Coordinates of all heavy atoms in Angstrom, one line a residue:
V392 N 35.4 -27.9 -19.7 CA 34.5 -29.0 -19.4 C 33.2 -29.0 -20.2 O 32.8 -28.0 -20.7 CB 34.1 -28.9 -17.9 CG1 33.3 -27.7 -17.5 CG2 33.4 -30.1 -17.3
H393 N 32.7 -30.2 -20.5 CA 31.5 -30.4 -21.2 C 30.5 -30.9 -20.2 O 30.7 -32.0 -19.6 CB 31.6 -31.4 -22.4 CG 32.4 -30.8 -23.5 ND1 33.8 -30.8 -23.6 CD2 32.0 -30.1 -24.7 CE1 34.2 -30.2 -24.7 NE2 33.2 -29.8 -25.4
I394 N 29.4 -30.2 -20.0 CA 28.4 -30.6 -19.0 C 27.1 -31.0 -19.6 O 26.5 -30.2 -20.3 CB 28.2 -29.5 -17.9 CG1 29.6 -29.1 -17.3 CG2 27.3 -29.8 -16.9 CD1 29.6 -28.0 -16.3
P395 N 26.6 -32.2 -19.3 CA 25.3 -32.6 -19.8 C 24.2 -31.8 -19.1 O 24.2 -31.7 -17.9 CB 25.2 -34.1 -19.4 CG 26.2 -34.3 -18.3 CD 27.2 -33.3 -18.4
C396 N 23.2 -31.3 -19.9 CA 22.1 -30.6 -19.2 C 20.9 -30.5 -20.1 O 21.0 -30.7 -21.3 CB 22.6 -29.2 -18.8 SG 23.1 -28.1 -20.1
E397 N 19.8 -30.1 -19.5 CA 18.6 -29.9 -20.3 C 18.5 -28.4 -20.7 O 19.2 -27.6 -20.1 CB 17.4 -30.1 -19.3 CG 17.3 -31.6 -18.8 CD 17.2 -32.6 -19.9 OE1 16.4 -32.3 -20.9 OE2 17.8 -33.6 -19.8
P398 N 17.7 -28.1 -21.7 CA 17.5 -26.7 -22.1 C 17.0 -26.0 -20.9 O 16.3 -26.5 -20.0 CB 16.5 -26.7 -23.2 CG 16.6 -28.1 -23.7 CD 17.0 -29.0 -22.6
G399 N 17.3 -24.7 -20.7 CA 16.7 -23.9 -19.6 C 17.0 -22.4 -19.7 O 17.9 -22.0 -20.5
D400 N 16.2 -21.7 -19.0 CA 16.4 -20.2 -18.9 C 17.0 -19.9 -17.6 O 16.9 -20.6 -16.6 CB 15.0 -19.5 -19.0 CG 14.4 -19.5 -20.4 OD1 15.2 -19.4 -21.3 OD2 13.2 -19.7 -20.5
D401 N 17.7 -18.8 -17.6 CA 18.1 -18.2 -16.3 C 19.0 -19.2 -15.5 O 18.9 -19.3 -14.3 CB 16.9 -17.8 -15.5 CG 17.3 -16.8 -14.5 OD1 18.3 -16.1 -14.7 OD2 16.5 -16.6 -13.5
V402 N 20.0 -19.8 -16.3 CA 20.9 -20.7 -15.6 C 22.1 -19.9 -15.1 O 22.6 -19.0 -15.8 CB 21.3 -21.8 -16.6 CG1 22.4 -22.7 -16.0 CG2 20.1 -22.6 -17.1
S403 N 22.5 -20.3 -13.9 CA 23.8 -19.7 -13.4 C 24.9 -20.7 -13.6 O 24.7 -21.9 -13.4 CB 23.7 -19.4 -11.9 OG 22.8 -18.4 -11.7
I404 N 26.1 -20.2 -14.0 CA 27.3 -21.0 -14.1 C 28.2 -20.7 -12.9 O 28.7 -19.6 -12.8 CB 28.0 -20.9 -15.4 CG1 27.0 -21.1 -16.6 CG2 29.2 -21.8 -15.5 CD1 27.6 -20.9 -18.0
W405 N 28.4 -21.7 -12.1 CA 29.4 -21.5 -11.0 C 30.7 -22.2 -11.3 O 30.7 -23.3 -11.8 CB 28.8 -22.1 -9.7 CG 27.6 -21.4 -9.1 CD1 26.9 -20.4 -9.7 CD2 27.1 -21.6 -7.8 NE1 25.9 -19.9 -8.8 CE2 26.0 -20.7 -7.6 CE3 27.4 -22.5 -6.7 CZ2 25.2 -20.6 -6.5 CZ3 26.6 -22.4 -5.6 CH2 25.6 -21.5 -5.5
S406 N 31.8 -21.5 -10.9 CA 33.1 -22.2 -11.1 C 33.9 -22.0 -9.8 O 33.9 -20.9 -9.3 CB 33.8 -21.7 -12.3 OG 34.5 -20.5 -12.1
K407 N 34.5 -23.0 -9.3 CA 35.2 -23.0 -8.1 C 36.6 -23.6 -8.2 O 36.7 -24.8 -8.6 CB 34.4 -23.8 -7.0 CG 35.0 -23.9 -5.7 CD 34.1 -24.6 -4.7 CE 33.7 -26.0 -5.0 NZ 34.0 -27.0 -3.9
A408 N 37.6 -22.8 -8.0 CA 39.0 -23.3 -8.1 C 39.5 -23.6 -6.7 O 39.2 -22.9 -5.7 CB 39.8 -22.3 -8.8
T409 N 40.5 -24.6 -6.7 CA 41.2 -24.9 -5.4 C 42.7 -24.9 -5.8 O 43.0 -25.5 -6.9 CB 40.7 -26.3 -4.9 OG1 39.3 -26.2 -4.7 CG2 41.4 -26.6 -3.6
D410 N 43.5 -24.4 -5.0 CA 45.0 -24.4 -5.3 C 45.7 -25.4 -4.4 O 45.1 -26.0 -3.5 CB 45.6 -23.0 -5.2 CG 45.5 -22.4 -3.8 OD1 45.4 -23.1 -2.8 OD2 45.6 -21.2 -3.8
R411 N 47.0 -25.6 -4.7 CA 47.7 -26.6 -3.9 C 47.8 -26.3 -2.4 O 47.8 -27.2 -1.6 CB 49.2 -26.7 -4.4 CG 50.0 -27.7 -3.7 CD 51.4 -27.8 -4.3 NE 51.4 -28.7 -5.4 CZ 52.3 -28.8 -6.3 NH1 53.4 -28.0 -6.2 NH2 52.3 -29.7 -7.2
G412 N 47.7 -25.0 -2.1 CA 47.7 -24.6 -0.6 C 46.3 -24.9 0.0 O 46.2 -24.6 1.2
G413 N 45.3 -25.4 -0.7 CA 44.0 -25.8 -0.2 C 43.1 -24.6 -0.1 O 41.9 -24.7 0.4
N414 N 43.5 -23.5 -0.7 CA 42.5 -22.3 -0.7 C 41.5 -22.6 -1.8 O 41.8 -23.1 -2.9 CB 43.3 -21.0 -1.1 CG 44.5 -20.8 -0.3 OD1 44.3 -20.5 0.9 ND2 45.7 -20.9 -0.8
T415 N 40.2 -22.3 -1.5 CA 39.2 -22.5 -2.4 C 38.2 -21.3 -2.4 O 38.3 -20.5 -1.5 CB 38.5 -23.9 -2.2 OG1 37.7 -24.2 -3.3 CG2 37.7 -23.9 -0.9
M416 N 37.3 -21.2 -3.3 CA 36.4 -20.1 -3.4 C 35.1 -20.4 -2.6 O 34.7 -21.5 -2.4 CB 36.1 -19.8 -4.8 CG 37.3 -19.2 -5.6 SD 37.3 -19.5 -7.3 CE 35.9 -18.5 -7.9
S417 N 34.5 -19.4 -2.1 CA 33.4 -19.5 -1.1 C 32.1 -19.9 -1.8 O 31.5 -19.1 -2.6 CB 33.2 -18.3 -0.3 OG 31.9 -18.3 0.3
V418 N 31.5 -21.1 -1.6 CA 30.2 -21.5 -2.1 C 29.1 -20.8 -1.3 O 28.0 -20.5 -1.8 CB 30.1 -23.0 -2.1 CG1 28.7 -23.5 -2.5 CG2 31.1 -23.6 -3.1
E419 N 29.4 -20.6 0.0 CA 28.4 -20.0 0.9 C 28.0 -18.6 0.4 O 26.9 -18.2 0.5 CB 28.9 -19.9 2.3 CG 29.1 -21.2 3.1 CD 30.2 -22.0 2.5 OE1 31.3 -21.5 2.2 OE2 30.1 -23.3 2.3
Q420 N 29.0 -17.9 -0.1 CA 28.8 -16.5 -0.6 C 29.1 -16.6 -2.1 O 29.9 -15.9 -2.6 CB 29.8 -15.6 0.0 CG 29.2 -14.8 1.2 CD 30.0 -13.6 1.6 OE1 31.2 -13.7 1.7 NE2 29.3 -12.5 1.8
A421 N 28.2 -17.4 -2.8 CA 28.5 -17.6 -4.2 C 28.4 -16.4 -5.1 O 29.0 -16.3 -6.1 CB 27.5 -18.7 -4.7
E422 N 27.6 -15.4 -4.6 CA 27.5 -14.2 -5.4 C 28.7 -13.2 -5.1 O 28.8 -12.2 -5.8 CB 26.2 -13.4 -5.0 CG 25.0 -14.2 -5.4 CD 23.7 -13.3 -5.4 OE1 23.8 -12.2 -4.7 OE2 22.7 -13.8 -5.9
G423 N 29.5 -13.6 -4.2 CA 30.6 -12.7 -3.9 C 30.2 -11.6 -2.9 O 29.1 -11.5 -2.5

Side-chain angles (χ1 to χ4, degrees):
V392 65
H393 289 84
I394 301 180
C396 64
E397 299 300 320
D400 285 321
D401 204 19
V402 174
S403 292
I404 305 179
W405 287 13
S406 81
K407 177 171 64 124
T409 305
D410 63 24
R411 179 177 274 163
N414 307 291
T415 192
M416 291 152 68
S417 165
V418 173
E419 292 70 42
Q420 263 194 314
E422 294 193 346

